[in-house]
Amino acid sequence: MLSKLARTASRSRVQQNLLLPSILLPQQPFQSSAVTSQQAAPAEDHIEVKVNGSPVQIPKGSTVMQACDAAGIDIPRFCYHPKLSIAGNCRMCLVEVEKSPKPVASCAMPAAPNMNIKTDTDLVKKAREGVMEFLLINHPLDCPICDQGGECDLQEQSMHFGSDRSRFTEMKRSVHDKNLGPLVKTVMTRCIHCTRCVRFATEVAGVQDLGMVGRGKDSEIGTYIDKLLTSELSGNVIDLCPVGALTSKPAAFTYRNWELKNTETIDVSDAQGTNTRVDSRGVEVMRILPRLNEDVNEEWLSDKGRFQYDGLKQQRLNVPLVKGPDGAFAPKRWPEALEAVAQGLQGIAGNEMRAIAGKLSDAESMVALKDLMNKLGCGNLTSEGGFPDLDADVRSNYVANTTIRGIEGADVILLIGTNPRIEAPVYNARIRKTWLEGTQIGLVGPEYDLTYPYTHLGEGPDALAAMLGGSDFFQKLQEAQHPAVVLGPGILSRPDRDTILQQVHELVEKAGVVKEDWNGYNILHDAASRVAALDLGFLPSARAQSAPKPKFVYLLGSDDYSEEDIPEDAFVVYQGTHGDRGAPRANVILPAAAYVEKEGTFVNFEGRTQRTKAAVPMVGDSREDWRIIRAVSEVVGRPLPYDTTDGVQKRLADVAPHLGKVDAVESPIWLNGEYNKAFAERAAKAAEAFQQPFSSSIKEFFMTDAISRSSQVMARCIQSRKTGHPKSATHPGAFGQDAAAHAAADM
Amino acid sequence: MVRATLLSLARSGQGLYTQPEQHFAKATPNKGRDFFREVCRLLPWTVNNYKLNELITVKELRSNVHALFRQNSHVTNPGVIDVMIYKGREELEMVSLQHKQRHHLITEYVARPQELKRQLASNPQGSRSKFLESFYSGAAGMSQGV
C-alpha cells in the first residue's frame, strides 16, 4: 500500500515536470527515484478531500481525478492517460469544485486539502453534454465501417454522457489522412485532438515525429512533412487512440472486435517476455495487443511483437517431410517420419550427435531434448547464433539482476555493447523513463540513436580499459547510489568474451555496482529461449569439446545456426514451424507448433518465468514441440519418463525449481565476484581483447527469427525504413522485388 | 425341455413370459457369426445398388466388414454382444432401405477399415505406448485451440 502511494506521488511529480516548458530536456538535478522513495509515506503526506460528500484520503500532489478514482467514481476522459503527461485539452473530465466559478478539468487540477468535489450535479452533467456535443460536431458518423467501432471511447462515452439529439446542421470539417508508414492507418477526420499519440511519441518512444499543426478548427495531428513514424513502439499509438483515427493498417477491415476470442499469453519476439493478449477468430490470429504488467512491459508492446503475426500464416510446415534419395522432400505420416529419424540415428555413437536449440524454443522442448540426447549419450547441446560455451554455473552471470522494473531505481546507467532500442524496445522505453527522471546514461559501443541522449565513452574494449583507468563517467558510477551496468548480447558472442567479462567485472567491483540490497549488473538477451536454455543447462558438456565431427544434428527450430555446426554429410532432423533456413538443409522435417498454438514456458532476461497459451489450433498435422521429442524418444527405444504437460513441467521444476514458479522472478545470489576471481587464469589464457568495436547482435530489428522473416508486414517495415518515406511500402510493386531478394538470401 | 418350450413360445409371440436375452445368448455363442453372414448376404446387392463397384469389389468389402467385426472380437459379455448386434441390424436396415447415402458407406466401410488395417499392419502387437498412439492420431492431450 505504502509503496503504491509513493509511486503515484512520484509519477505525478514527473507529470508536473513535463508540464513545464522544459518538457523535452528535463535535466533537473538528480532526484531520488521510485525505488528509493518507496521507503516511507507518512500520514502527513496525505490530505483529505470530499468527493460527493464522502471524505477520501489521498497523497499530497494528487490531482482531482486521482481523488475521484480513489473514491471509486469514474470520471470520463479522453486525453488523460496514466503513463503520459497531462494535457488537459479534451475537457471531458470536467467536475464541479465548490467555490470555483467554473467546472474544472479534473485531470490537470491538483487537489487541495478540504476541497469539495462534486461529480453528479446538473452543472457537471451539462458540462459533459456540452463537451460531447463539441467533440461530435466534427466527428464523422462512420462507426459502422470504423475499425474502432465497438471498443471506441467516444462511442461509449457519447452513449453515457452525450445528449440525445444534435443541434448541428452545418458541414463537418474533413482532414487529409496522413501516411505514417506500413503499420498505423490514419483516418484523421475522426481525430478528436487528445494528443495522446503526440505525447506518447515524444515522451515514451522518444521520437519527435508526431505533432500538432495549425490552430483552432484547422489544427491537425501529423508528421509535419510526409514522413515515417520511425519508432519500434509505434504500434502503441493504436491502443492509445481513444477513437478510430489511428488503427492497425495490416488488420484494417479484417475483424470486428466482438468476434474475437482473447487469449492472455506472452510475446517471444524478443527476450523481454512482454505480456500480450492474442485475439483470434477461428484458426486465425487477428491481432496482438499488450497487456498491462508494470513489472515487465507496463502497457507497451514492440512493433515486431504486435505485427509479425501474419508470418504465422506464411511458409508453415504442416506435414512431416522426409528427403528421398533423389533429394526431394516427400510428405509422410508421423510413424514413417519418426522411423526415418530412427534410421538416421542408427549406428551413430553418442558423441557424434549434436542438438541446436532455436531462438523460439520453449523450456519444455529443451528439457525434453536434453534428456533424450543425454540418454543417447550425447552432451553436445548448443543454442543457435549465440554463445555455446557461456558458463551457466552462476545465474547472476547471465540475467538482468536489477530486474526490468528495478532499472527505474538506477541513478547512473552504463550500457556496454548494446543497442536496447532494437534488442528490447520496451526495455529501452523504461531506460528512457529513468533518463526523464534524471538518470545519467553512458554507452560503450557504436553510437546508436537510443531516443535519449547519453555520454558516448568509446566504441570498443579500449574504451572499457580507459574507463577502468579512471574517467569522469567512472567517477559518476562510483559516486552513484544505485549504479547499473547493462551488457548487450553482442558481447557474449564475441570470441574475446571472457576477457571483456573479466574487465567488466573489475569495473563492477571497483565502482561498487553490486551493494547490499542493490545489484546493478545486467545482461540483456536477444532471444526468448536463451535464459531458459542457460537455466536448464542446455549447454555443451565438458567432453563435447573433444567430440568428433557430428554425423547427426537435431535442429530444434534452429534457423540461425552457423554453417560449420553442421558438417556436409550429417543427417539432419529439423523440428520447427517455418520453411526457413533449417528446413531445406534437413533430411527429416517434423512440423511443430508456433508460440500462439501451444503452452510453453519461457524465461525473460530478468529471469521471470512465464507461459504462453494456445490461442489458435496447430497448423495441419503439426504437434507440440516436447511431444514430438517424446515420440522420437520412444521410436528410438529410449522413452522419456513423462507423457503429459504436467509431467514435463514437473521435470522442468526438478531441473530448475524457479521454472515451476510462473510469473515470478527468482533473484539469483551474487557470486560473480568470487567466481570470476576463481577463473581469472582462464581469462588470462584467453586471447587479448580484440580491438574491433562492440556491436549489437541484431542487424535488422524487423527480421530476427523464422516468424518475423516470413512476415510480409515486417518486410514492408524494412522497405519503408530504407527509403524513410511512408509511401514506398504501400505500393506492392515497390516492395515485392526487395522482399523476394531478401527471401532468396535467407534460403 | 422347458427352455425349448419357452423359446418356441417367444418366437411365435405367444406366452406370457420371455426370458431376458442374455440367457439365449449363452445358448447360441455364434450369434455374431450368424449376423456377419446375414450382412454378407446383402453385400453384393449393396455394392451394386450404391454403385460401389468403381471403388471396391464385394470380396474387399467383405474383408472390410470382417475387420470391423474383428475390432470387437474381445467382447465376451453376451449382453453387450446383443446390443451390438441390435445396433448392427439397425445399420443393416438403413443400408437396405437406402436411408444411407453413398458417401456414408464410403467413409464407414471403405475408407475407415482401410485405415484400420493400415494401422494394424504398422503396429501389429500393439507395442506402442498410449502416448505414441495418441500422438500419431493427433488427438488426445494436445492443446485445444478455439
Side-chain angles (χ1 to χ4, degrees):
Chain A
M1 181 61 197
L2 289 182
S3 64
K4 193 178 168 202
L5 292 173
R7 230 165 35 235
T8 345
S10 84
R11 182 192 294 157
S12 63
R13 190 179 61 228
V14 175
Q15 284 163 347
Q16 279 161 11
N17 285 335
L18 289 171
L19 276 177
L20 299 174
S22 65
I23 168 171
L24 300 175
L25 283 171
Q27 285 291 16
Q28 70 264 63
F30 169 67
Q31 292 179 331
S32 70
S33 51
V35 167
T36 46
S37 62
Q38 271 176 20
Q39 307 307 328
E44 55 260 33
D45 269 9
H46 281 59
I47 53 169
E48 189 179 292
V49 295
K50 275 189 177 164
V51 181
N52 292 342
S54 51
V56 203
Q57 294 278 337
I58 48 163
K60 258 184 201 169
S62 301
T63 61
V64 171
M65 184 184 269
Q66 278 162 343
C68 295
D69 282 346
I73 288 162
D74 219 11
I75 305 289
R77 64 196 75 170
F78 291 115
C79 71
Y80 176 79
H81 190 276
K83 297 279 177 220
L84 303 175
S85 67
I86 296 167
N89 56 9
C90 76
R91 317 309 290 178
M92 193 61 207
C93 62
L94 293 175
V95 295
E96 189 181 347
V97 174
E98 211 170 74
K99 290 184 202 138
S100 160
K102 308 185 279 187
V104 297
S106 64
C107 67
M109 177 66 128
N114 303 319
M115 217 179 212
N116 198 354
I117 303 160
K118 290 170 186 167
T119 65
D120 53 2
T121 57
D122 280 348
L123 179 77
V124 174
K125 185 167 179 290
K126 265 277 166 279
R128 286 172 180 170
E129 237 173 66
V131 169
M132 210 63 233
E133 193 171 2
F134 274 127
L135 286 176
L136 292 175
I137 276 179
N138 279 321
H139 194 81
L141 295 171
D142 58 356
C143 303
I145 59 130
C146 176
D147 274 327
Q148 191 87 353
E151 51 183 356
C152 174
D153 288 356
L154 191 66
Q155 222 179 8
E156 278 163 27
Q157 291 183 28
S158 64
M159 289 295 290
H160 283 113
F161 306 108
S163 170
D164 57 349
R165 65 205 63 217
S166 166
R167 298 179 282 180
F168 186 68
T169 51
E170 290 85 40
M171 290 292 286
K172 284 179 190 282
R173 104 186 165 134
S174 65
V175 182
H176 273 291
D177 293 344
K178 311 290 183 295
N179 196 340
L180 299 184
L183 300 178
V184 183
K185 181 191 160 190
T186 62
V187 184
M188 294 318 280
T189 309
R190 294 178 188 151
C191 177
I192 59 167
H193 304 109
C194 69
T195 67
R196 273 188 190 181
C197 52
V198 177
R199 281 175 287 146
F200 174 82
T202 40
E203 291 160 20
V204 179
V207 290
Q208 313 295 326
D209 290 345
L210 281 177
M212 173 108 88
V213 288
R215 296 186 55 151
K217 77 170 179 55
D218 294 322
S219 50
E220 290 181 18
I221 302 284
T223 49
Y224 309 113
I225 50 169
D226 215 1
K227 195 167 154 247
L228 196 67
L229 197 53
T230 49
S231 169
E232 287 72 24
L233 297 169
S234 66
N236 292 298
V237 298
I238 297 167
D239 296 340
L240 287 172
C241 186
V243 294
L246 306 176
T247 52
S248 161
K249 197 174 259 181
F253 303 131
T254 54
Y255 62 84
R256 309 264 35 182
N257 72 297
W258 55 84
E259 308 167 332
L260 302 177
K261 189 193 75 166
N262 309 333
T263 312
E264 299 198 337
T265 177
I266 61 158
D267 175 46
V268 299
S269 67
D270 54 36
Q272 180 144 3
T274 300
N275 289 212
T276 58
R277 196 184 86 196
V278 173
D279 286 0
S280 57
R281 186 180 60 199
V283 301
E284 245 184 313
V285 176
M286 301 309 290
R287 65 171 176 187
I288 299 181
L289 300 175
R291 263 188 301 141
L292 179 72
N293 188 337
E294 294 289 351
D295 291 333
V296 182
N297 57 308
E298 300 177 273
E299 281 178 47
W300 320 126
L301 172 59
S302 75
D303 284 352
K304 188 168 36 167
R306 185 187 294 264
F307 290 112
Q308 68 169 357
Y309 62 86
D310 72 316
L312 294 167
K313 295 177 215 159
Q314 309 274 340
Q315 292 273 76
R316 284 301 294 272
L317 301 169
N318 53 5
V319 284
L321 297 165
V322 176
K323 199 179 256 177
D326 55 346
F329 283 109
K332 295 276 181 205
R333 288 166 180 279
W334 276 101
E336 295 152 359
L338 296 190
E339 204 47 53
V341 175
Q343 247 156 40
L345 261 173
Q346 227 152 41
I348 292 180
N351 63 351
E352 293 170 331
M353 299 177 197
R354 168 176 284 159
I356 305 176
K359 286 177 177 168
L360 307 179
S361 303
D362 53 39
E364 283 88 350
S365 61
M366 285 191 286
V367 81
L369 187 56
K370 181 175 154 72
D371 285 349
L372 170 63
M373 283 316 201
N374 290 353
K375 276 194 172 201
L376 294 170
C378 160
N380 198 349
L381 313 169
T382 58
S383 293
E384 70 179 7
F387 30 84
D389 48 346
L390 183 74
D391 270 311
D393 293 353
V394 179
R395 190 156 185 259
S396 57
N397 224 344
Y398 62 83
V399 295
N401 294 294
T402 316
T403 71
I404 293 170
R405 185 181 200 150
I407 200 79
E408 285 184 26
D411 38 30
V412 178
I413 300 175
L414 174 63
L415 306 172
I416 303 173
T418 180
N419 180 358
R421 183 174 175 182
I422 56 171
E423 283 155 12
V426 180
Y427 185 62
N428 195 47
R430 193 76 86 139
I431 297 178
R432 192 184 142 78
K433 193 172 159 192
T434 66
W435 167 75
L436 278 174
E437 287 187 39
T439 300
Q440 302 209 27
I441 294 161
L443 173 78
V444 182
E447 271 189 271
Y448 299 110
D449 176 10
L450 293 180
T451 71
Y452 41 84
Y454 53 82
T455 319
H456 189 235
L457 302 160
E459 299 239 316
D462 47 337
L464 211 56
M467 263 194 87
L468 268 174
S471 69
D472 283 354
F473 199 85
F474 180 70
Q475 256 191 342
K476 276 181 199 158
L477 210 60
Q478 243 175 344
E479 285 159 11
Q481 270 188 310
H482 297 292
V485 171
V486 180
L487 250 78
I491 291 200
L492 301 179
S493 43
R494 278 170 72 100
D496 57 347
R497 182 193 63 216
D498 284 340
T499 321
I500 289 169
L501 282 185
Q502 195 72 26
Q503 275 181 1
V504 171
H505 275 107
E506 209 179 316
L507 184 104
V508 163
E509 194 107 314
K510 273 194 186 166
V513 170
V514 183
K515 307 173 176 175
E516 208 174 320
D517 68 33
W518 173 262
N519 190 337
Y521 183 75
N522 297 288
I523 300 264
L524 205 57
H525 290 277
D526 56 352
S529 71
R530 196 55 50 74
V531 176
L534 292 164
D535 279 349
L536 293 169
F538 198 92
L539 293 159
S541 63
R543 269 199 224 154
Q545 294 285 346
S546 55
K549 270 205 321 188
K551 289 182 183 160
F552 177 92
V553 180
Y554 200 105
L555 297 175
L556 182 60
S558 169
D559 294 300
D560 297 312
Y561 56 86
S562 55
E563 228 27 89
E564 62 266 25
D565 281 346
I566 305 179
E568 238 358 72
D569 56 342
F571 186 90
V572 181
V573 176
Y574 178 81
Q575 168 184 338
T577 54
H578 284 73
D580 202 50
R581 178 166 162 247
R585 172 66 190 85
N587 297 72
V588 180
I589 299 176
L590 307 174
Y595 74 106
V596 294
E597 295 156 9
K598 65 179 171 190
E599 185 179 332
T601 306
F602 290 88
V603 183
N604 76 355
F605 62 72
E606 60 172 342
R608 181 183 299 273
T609 308
Q610 301 183 106
R611 290 218 170 109
T612 59
K613 286 203 192 73
V616 288
M618 283 175 280
V619 174
D621 209 16
S622 56
R623 302 277 191 272
E624 277 176 289
D625 281 281
W626 76 265
R627 282 177 199 276
I628 296 175
I629 296 161
R630 167 68 180 78
V632 169
S633 77
E634 191 167 327
V635 173
V636 302
R638 299 291 177 89
L640 296 170
Y642 32 79
D643 39 7
T644 57
T645 310
D646 284 348
V648 71
Q649 281 171 357
K650 193 162 168 295
R651 168 73 182 144
L652 273 183
D654 284 348
V655 176
H658 60 276
L659 290 177
K661 296 176 199 155
V662 179
D663 293 332
V665 181
E666 187 90 355
S667 54
I669 304 167
W670 178 255
L671 289 168
N672 290 22
E674 308 311 314
Y675 189 80
N676 277 284
K677 267 178 219 153
F679 283 90
E681 81 279 8
R682 184 175 57 189
K685 236 188 281 166
E688 186 117 319
F690 299 117
Q691 285 316 308
Q692 84 212 50
F694 297 138
S695 62
S696 172
S697 61
I698 294 180
K699 300 284 174 288
E700 176 52 68
F701 168 69
F702 292 105
M703 283 193 178
T704 48
D705 50 53
I707 299 175
S708 49
R709 274 193 293 264
S710 311
S711 161
Q712 291 186 337
V713 175
M714 294 294 105
R716 250 173 252 155
C717 287
I718 292 171
Q719 186 62 22
S720 59
R721 278 283 179 99
K722 258 184 208 156
T723 58
H725 196 270
K727 286 222 172 85
S728 58
T730 44
H731 292 298
F735 126 82
Q737 246 177 3
D738 201 78
H742 199 100
D746 279 335
M747 296 303 279
Chain B
M1 185 63 201
V2 177
R3 199 169 53 100
T5 321
L6 277 174
L7 206 74
S8 63
L9 277 174
R11 278 197 184 129
S12 59
Q14 295 170 358
L16 301 169
Y17 169 73
T18 52
Q19 278 193 342
E21 279 287 296
Q22 59 256 43
H23 290 268
F24 297 116
K26 263 181 204 155
T28 53
N30 280 331
K31 253 184 158 175
R33 193 187 59 196
D34 291 347
F35 177 59
F36 176 64
R37 286 178 178 164
E38 196 179 331
V39 173
C40 285
R41 280 195 284 277
L42 200 70
L43 288 184
W45 176 86
T46 311
V47 168
N48 191 33
N49 207 43
Y50 282 87
K51 304 224 179 331
L52 293 177
N53 31 22
E54 52 201 32
L55 288 167
I56 200 165
T57 62
V58 177
K59 191 180 171 197
E60 281 163 351
L61 186 60
R62 196 184 304 125
S63 125
N64 283 359
V65 172
H66 184 248
L68 291 175
F69 268 81
R70 274 279 160 218
Q71 245 194 322
N72 298 319
S73 57
H74 61 280
V75 179
T76 49
N77 185 342
V80 176
I81 294 175
D82 271 350
V83 171
M84 290 200 302
I85 289 176
Y86 180 83
K87 293 177 97 169
R89 191 160 282 122
E90 264 186 344
E91 180 83 4
L92 190 67
E93 195 175 307
M94 280 199 277
V95 173
S96 61
L97 292 174
Q98 291 211 300
H99 291 169
K100 289 257 173 183
Q101 292 182 357
R102 186 168 183 258
H103 68 270
H104 292 131
L105 298 196
I106 293 172
T107 332
E108 280 298 302
Y109 303 107
V110 180
R112 196 163 78 90
Q114 266 160 14
E115 175 73 4
L116 207 76
K117 280 183 195 166
R118 206 190 48 74
Q119 267 179 18
L120 220 65
S122 67
N123 184 23
Q125 293 93 34
S127 54
R128 282 179 200 147
S129 72
K130 238 172 147 179
F131 173 86
L132 211 54
E133 276 304 318
S134 76
F135 180 85
Y136 285 152
S137 66
M142 303 292 156
S143 50
Q144 309 284 313
V146 187

